[in-house]
C-alpha cells in the first residue's frame, strides 16, 4: 500500500511541476534592474542594431527544437514591425555568454535598446501578440 501512495505522490508532484513550467513558458517578464546599463558580452553587443529602437536577441543552441519555433515567431514579427530587429545568437560553443546574461534555458529572448539596456525577456517560445504589446511603448508599429 505504501508503494501506491508513493506513486500517487510522484504523479501529483510531476503534474504540478509540468503545469508550472507550462504556465511560465513564453511569459514576458519586464526587466527588474532599472539601474545603469551593464556591460554586455561582446557577441551580444556586436549584434545590437543602432538604427532600431529594440533588438530582440534570441539565445539559442544547436540542437534546440523550440529555438526554431521561437525564430519562426520572432523573425516575421521583426520584419513587419518598424523599429524592431531580430537576431539569433547560438551559444552552444559560448556558454560564458549565456552565463553572463543569466540565461538558464534556450530559447530565451532578450529585448535590448541600442545602448544595451534590457527591456524584457521571454523564456521559451514567445507569444507574438503578447510580446508586441509589451514592446509597443518602445516601438512605432508599421501597419501591414
Amino acid at each position: 500500500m505504501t508503494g501506491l501512495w508513493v506513486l500517487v505522490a510522484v504523479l501529483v508532484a510531476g503534474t504540478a511541476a509540468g503545469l508550472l513550467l507550462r504556465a511560465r513558458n513564453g511569459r514576458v517578464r519586464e526587466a527588474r534592474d532599472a539601474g545603469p546599463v551593464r556591460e554586455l558580452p561582446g557577441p551580444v553587443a556586436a549584434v545590437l542594431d543602432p538604427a532600431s529602437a529594440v533588438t530582440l536577441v534570441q539565445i539559442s543552441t544547436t540542437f534546440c527544437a523550440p529555438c526554431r519555433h521561437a525564430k519562426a515567431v520572432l523573425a516575421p514579427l521583426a520584419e513587419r514591425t518598424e523599429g524592431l530587429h531580430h537576431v539569433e545568437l547560438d551559444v552552444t560553443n559560448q556558454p560564458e555568454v549565456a552565463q553572463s546574461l543569466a540565461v538558464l534555458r534556450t530559447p530565451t529572448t532578450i529585448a535590448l535598446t541600442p545602448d544595451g539596456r534590457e527591456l524584457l525577456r521571454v523564456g521559451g517560445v514567445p507569444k507574438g501578440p503578447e510580446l508586441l504589446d509589451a514592446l509597443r511603448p518602445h516601438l512605432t508599429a508599421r501597419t501591414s
Side-chain angles (χ1 to χ4, degrees), residues 92-107:
T92 302
N93 297 319
Q94 309 174 73
E96 66 280 357
V97 172
Q99 183 179 12
S100 68
L101 293 172
V103 171
L104 300 176
R105 67 183 281 199
T106 59

Side-chain angles (χ1 to χ4, degrees), residues 3-4 23 32 35 45 52 54 56 60 63-64 66 71 76 79 88 116 129 134 140:
L4 180 63
R32 290 184 229 167
S52 296
V54 176
L56 296 174
S60 300
F63 299 106
C64 169
K71 184 177 182 178
E79 287 174 10
E88 184 177 12
T140 303

Side-chain angles (χ1 to χ4, degrees), residues 31-144:
R32 290 184 229 167
D33 185 34
V37 177
R38 64 182 172 155
E39 188 174 337
L40 294 173
V44 176
V47 298
L48 290 180
D49 183 6
S52 296
V54 176
T55 299
L56 296 174
V57 179
Q58 177 188 335
I59 307 297
S60 300
T61 52
T62 304
F63 299 106
C64 169
C67 295
R68 291 188 286 278
H69 296 289
K71 184 177 182 178
V73 170
L74 296 173
L77 186 67
E79 287 174 10
R80 69 176 184 266
T81 306
E82 187 175 332
L84 187 62
H85 181 68
H86 168 253
V87 292
E88 184 177 12
L89 187 62
D90 188 332
V91 296
T92 302
N93 297 319
Q94 309 174 73
E96 66 280 357
V97 172
Q99 183 179 12
S100 68
L101 293 172
V103 171
L104 300 176
R105 67 183 281 199
T106 59
T108 292
T109 304
I110 304 172
L112 298 166
T113 61
D115 65 354
R117 185 170 50 90
E118 183 176 329
L119 300 172
L120 55 88
R121 69 173 52 204
V122 180
V125 179
K127 297 168 183 74
E130 185 180 317
L131 178 61
L132 195 55
D133 285 344
L135 290 173
R136 230 177 267 292
H138 308 283
L139 299 172
T140 303
R142 187 180 346 161
T143 57
S144 50

